[in-house]
Structure formats: C-alpha cells, structure tokens
Amino acid sequence: MTTPLEIPGFTHLYSGKVRDLYVPDGRDDQLLLVASDRISAFDFILDPPIPDKGAVLTQLSLWWFDQLADLVPNHVVSTDVPDIVAGRAVLVQRLEMVPVECVARAYLTGGGLREYLADGTVSGLALPEGLRDGDRFDAPLFTPSTKAPVGEHDEPMSFEAVVGEVGAERAEELRDLTTRILARGNEIAGERGILIADTKVEFGVDAGGALVLADEVLTPDSSRFWPADQWEPGHPQPSFDKEFVREWLLSAESGWDKTSGDAPPALPADVVERTRAKYVEAYERLTGRTF
Ligand code: Q0N
C-alpha cells in the first residue's frame, strides 16, 4: 500500500481500495471522503492510476445525490475542500454506518448469476427457470451482502440475516430504498444509453435515527454500467468503463496470466487514455454536462 496523502487540517482515518477517509482536526461529526484515481480489475489495483477518475466519479456521485434527493437524504455537507483534493473530495456527515452492503440487481449477472445457476435462487429468492446472463428482472431485487474487510470478498446475506442485524422495519426500509435508487438510476440512465445492471449502496443513521445515503452512489465503481446499444442477454456484457483494461490484460500483448497470482503489468498509455475517456463519457452522457 502507498502512504495516504497528507492533507493540512485533516488526519487520515482509513483507506479502502479506491477511497480514503480523513477526520477534520477538532471535529468528530464530519469526515472528508477522498476518491483516488486508482482503478481495480480482476481484484488487483492496477498501475498507473486513471487521471481524473476520482474527480469524475465524485462529480457524478454528487449529481446522482441530487437526482435522488426526493427519495433519500444524503451525507454531503460541502464540496469546499482543501486545494490538493479539489473536485475529488466531499465533506460528509459522520454517521453510524449500517453493517450491511445494500445491493440491488436489475439484471442477472455476476454473483447473482452464479447463485441462480447453482440453485435457482438469487439472495434466497426463487426465480423462474431458463434465465440467461444479462436478462432483466421485472423490478430490481434486493441482494444484500456482508461488509467484508479490504482484501476479502463480501458474502451474500439473506433478507432474514439483514432483519437479524437491524430489525424488520429497518431491513424493509433498506430494501425499499436500495431498489428504488436502482430503479430511478435506470429510468434516467436508460434515456442516455447506459444500463445499470446492479449497484451497491451504503447507508448510515443520523442522530435522529433516520437513514442517510452515504459513500458514493451509482458510479461505475459501485455499479455495473453497460452500453445499452450492446445489451444482448445470453453472454457476459461488455463493461462500459473497464472494457479496454480487461481486453488488454487478457490479450497476448499484456503477457499476463490471470491464473498466475502475479500482479498485472502496467497499463499502456493508450489504454489509460481510452479508459479515462470512458469515465468522462459516462459523466457527460448521464449529466448532460461537460467535465
Ligand atoms: C464510512 N467507511 C469506512 C473501518 C472503516 N458518512 C460516513 N460516516 C461514517 N462513516 C463512513 C461514512 C461514509 N461514507 C466509513 N466508509 C465510509 C468503513 N469502515 C470499514 C471497516 O473498517
């Protein structure tokens, strides 16, 4: 791991795969959430970073918080942050985090597909036979998972297990909000040529006991974005953002063996630039703004 950034007036608290958290000196009710330019693929953090990725995803998340404001309050306090993290950090309300990864799926793929092929269910919910990779559900499913420490994988959780963690009323509220966030996301993104196959959101509870949407929302890091014009159930769909990275890593040109356990080689400049352009394209298509 690389050492976290030194930010004047803040103390480093925690680093995830791609985001870092800081505490403002002298206050315990807020956090600074900093998005890095790091990119992961095949469970590795790749080298080099993607220029502006942290800023693009932070701005996209802020835009989505506004689109969702009538559904759920969010943790954003201010975007007035120190110069060295300008554009890629937000000051947020420090919340009591809900100990559940709230996942919703609008399409069958990934871990949901694996469970379905094994036993015909997704998150314990029985589904009709004959579904294929990439098929759309009538409405998003709530498929929560455990919050695993960095380096470990989240484990699927039944709805009953969520009830056991937070109680029935809170569990139902989490399910309703999570599925509505993805449904709203797809109403908006679908008009702009992007499908959001699934998403992971995090909630906290404020001092009054109300659920608040935290972390980042409906970004390509927290969600699977697919190009709508290439959607074709029956096989794995191309990733909107990471397709060039995956294609290059799996090509003979990279010389990398995915099964070796070795870290992947450094990405070539053109793959980095084309990937940066995909993040910017997602931002610009969704928001209608220029990055
Ligand atoms: C938050 N993490 C790290 C310890 C750290 N608004 C918030 N308030 C409080 N906490 C968080 C947010 C946000 N966003 C904390 N990520 C977000 C998560 N844990 C993981 C386990 O180790």
Side-chain angles (χ1 to χ4, degrees):
M1 268 278 289
T2 55
T3 67
L5 197 61
E6 299 260 15
I7 306 177
F10 294 82
T11 301
H12 177 256
L13 175 68
Y14 170 83
S15 286
K17 247 177 166 182
V18 297
R19 281 186 300 287
D20 305 300
L21 281 174
Y22 295 77
V23 183
D25 293 341
R27 68 185 305 165
D28 64 3
D29 60 337
Q30 295 183 351
L31 292 171
L32 186 72
L33 184 57
V34 182
S36 75
D37 291 342
R38 298 191 288 276
I39 183 172
S40 71
F42 304 110
D43 266 336
F44 288 95
I45 299 292
L46 305 179
D47 199 61
I50 306 299
D52 295 323
K53 173 174 177 277
V56 174
L57 270 55
T58 297
Q59 297 309 306
L60 180 59
S61 185
L62 286 166
W63 181 82
W64 278 121
F65 280 132
D66 281 347
Q67 306 305 305
L68 300 167
D70 62 316
L71 291 182
V72 59
N74 64 69
H75 68 160
V76 176
V77 170
S78 171
T79 55
D80 184 7
V81 298
D83 286 347
I84 48 164
V85 290
R88 64 182 179 99
V90 282
L91 205 52
V92 303
Q93 248 186 292
R94 192 170 190 167
L95 304 163
E96 193 66 51
M97 297 304 286
V98 172
V100 174
E101 296 283 10
C102 290
V103 178
R105 300 179 185 277
Y107 295 79
L108 180 63
T109 195
L113 176 65
R114 277 191 294 278
E115 182 184 335
Y116 173 75
L117 293 176
D119 67 4
T121 70
V122 174
S123 233
L125 304 162
L127 293 177
E129 280 180 50
L131 297 181
R132 302 157 297 169
D133 192 354
D135 271 333
R136 190 151 91 90
F137 300 125
D138 294 330
L141 307 181
F142 182 54
T143 66
S145 57
T146 59
K147 280 191 185 182
V150 170
E152 292 173 42
H153 285 115
D154 296 345
E155 294 287 341
M157 225 176 151
S158 66
F159 186 73
E160 280 316 306
V162 179
V163 171
E165 285 280 350
V166 301
E169 200 182 350
R170 225 342 98 81
E172 284 168 24
E173 205 184 348
L174 292 170
R175 180 179 59 194
D176 287 359
L177 284 173
T178 303
T179 55
R180 286 164 115 176
I181 286 166
L182 182 56
R184 172 73 63 82
N186 270 315
E187 283 169 19
I188 295 172
E191 295 169 354
R192 292 139 161 101
I194 293 174
L195 306 181
I196 307 175
D198 46 43
T199 194
K200 179 165 80 178
V201 292
E202 292 203 40
F203 294 94
V205 178
D206 70 14
L211 283 179
V212 177
L213 185 56
D215 200 53
E216 61 170 46
V217 65
L218 297 173
T219 69
D221 274 7
S222 67
S223 318
R224 277 192 182 86
F225 282 20
W226 292 341
D229 62 357
Q230 291 175 58
W231 177 50
E232 187 182 73
H235 59 82
Q237 309 301 300
S239 161
F240 190 92
D241 50 309
K242 288 180 180 166
E243 200 51 24
F244 299 132
V245 167
R246 293 186 181 147
E247 181 189 60
W248 182 80
L249 285 174
L250 297 179
S251 74
E253 207 191 324
S254 80
W256 183 58
D257 175 3
K258 177 174 177 296
T259 67
S260 67
D262 297 348
L267 300 173
D270 71 296
V271 172
V272 171
E273 183 42 47
R274 289 194 297 157
T275 300
R276 178 191 178 279
K278 293 304 288 187
Y279 288 113
V280 171
E281 183 188 346
Y283 172 83
E284 293 188 338
R285 275 163 76 160
L286 289 169
T287 67
R289 297 178 185 161
T290 300
F291 176 71

